[in-house]
Amino acid sequence: MADVTTIRANSILPARREDIELHTADGLTLVGELALPADRPPVATLVCLHPLPTHGGMMDSHVLRKAAWRLPALADLAVLRFNTRGTTSVRGTSQGAFDGGVGERFDVAAAIEYAEFADLPSVWLLGWSFGTDLTLRYGCEPGVVGAILLSPPLRSAVDADLAVWASSGKPVVALVPEFDDYLRPAEATTRFAAIPQAEVIGVPGAKHLWVGDAETVLDEVVRRVAPGRAPLPREWDGPMEAGDASAYADRTVAAFTDVTLPPAG
């Protein structure tokens, strides 16, 4: 048996990982990755929608990266990440150009369609900041079970979008940092009251970027998507690789430090 090792920020646990391409209805090719449990079928699926690309958001933004590196092994989840149009990461650059959340509707549709054609089970959308607005605006599709929103700014999502989710009855979970730059727990509770089934979870001490709080986020995500598998273990007794965190250094905290520029993300 392998030695028990603490799971760290750059730990990569075993999974079947495949580079994928998504094809949008308006003719673009988007780059992404699908991570699956190494030796068994997934019990549920996360389709990840990243933060604002003009502020450094991408498929490798740290919470989404850690989800893909850990959750196939720890929670038997499939994790699908991709770069929205015009966005670059280590995986590559998706075709097109950032469209302020308008043309990105086709990106969301392409990701959901890919999950459906791949027969991925129990598809949940996991949006972060800008990705939460994409989720609320375009994600309430028949093949989607529910939505988990990290640091939702509610910038471009309007009342009509919330009404669609309300009438669907699909679960909506909002994880809201106590010290968020855009929307804090008390206001979030008021605004998400438009969705009666929405659950707003204030996270003490956390900030918009979830630096130092990724484990809390992943625990809450798994608790909803794969009940009974949270809290996640903090140690691993199997093979483990280490990712190169320096590859993302200029696209994490530094890229988000100016929180004065709209829109949020």
Side-chain angles (χ1 to χ4, degrees):
M1 180 178 292
D3 293 336
V4 174
T5 306
T6 299
I7 298 170
R8 304 189 183 279
N10 66 339
S11 297
I12 304 177
L13 305 185
R16 290 176 286 146
R17 295 186 168 87
E18 175 188 359
D19 287 343
I20 62 171
E21 292 183 344
L22 309 180
H23 301 284
T24 69
D26 61 340
L28 300 181
T29 298
L30 313 178
V31 299
E33 180 202 77
L34 176 63
L36 298 165
D39 56 3
R40 52 198 178 275
V43 300
T45 304
L46 296 174
V47 172
C48 302
L49 301 175
H50 60 69
L52 192 68
T54 56
H55 282 50
M58 55 174 172
M59 63 178 276
D60 283 328
S61 292
H62 79 101
V63 173
L64 307 184
R65 184 174 78 240
K66 290 167 185 171
W69 285 0
R70 301 179 193 179
L71 298 188
L74 297 181
D76 292 339
L77 297 183
V79 181
L80 190 161
R81 298 177 294 149
F82 69 100
N83 287 327
T84 57
R85 56 191 57 210
T87 301
T88 298
S89 71
V90 173
R91 168 70 179 90
T93 300
S94 289
Q95 291 180 349
F98 174 68
D99 197 29
V102 179
E104 284 82 1
R105 71 180 305 151
F106 299 114
D107 305 351
V108 176
I112 295 171
E113 181 180 68
Y114 186 98
E116 292 174 346
F117 278 109
D119 291 325
L120 298 176
S122 187
V123 174
W124 286 72
L125 300 183
L126 176 62
W128 181 3
S129 197
F130 172 70
T132 68
D133 278 322
L134 296 184
T135 297
L136 291 169
R137 295 172 71 184
Y138 310 129
C140 195
E141 293 294 324
V144 172
V145 172
I148 299 177
L149 313 174
L150 311 181
S151 306
L154 288 178
R155 280 285 183 86
S156 59
V158 298
D159 290 346
D161 300 315
L162 303 185
V164 170
W165 284 93
S167 64
S168 75
K170 296 176 187 286
V172 175
V173 180
L175 299 182
V176 183
E178 179 183 7
F179 300 118
D180 194 86
D181 298 302
Y182 304 100
L183 187 71
R184 296 191 175 185
E187 183 185 359
T189 298
T190 299
R191 297 192 63 185
F192 277 105
I195 305 176
Q197 73 273 22
E199 181 183 8
V200 176
I201 302 170
V203 181
K207 297 182 180 180
H208 191 76
L209 302 182
W210 301 104
V211 175
D213 289 294
E215 285 71 25
T216 298
V217 171
L218 296 181
D219 279 345
E220 294 296 341
V221 169
V222 170
R223 189 167 285 117
R224 273 74 189 175
V225 175
R229 298 170 188 257
L232 297 168
R234 303 305 195 243
E235 296 179 328
W236 179 252
D237 63 358
M240 178 189 297
E241 298 180 8
D244 180 8
S246 68
Y248 314 102
D250 66 339
R251 301 296 299 277
T252 52
V253 178
F256 288 88
T257 53
D258 185 350
V259 297
T260 64
L261 296 177

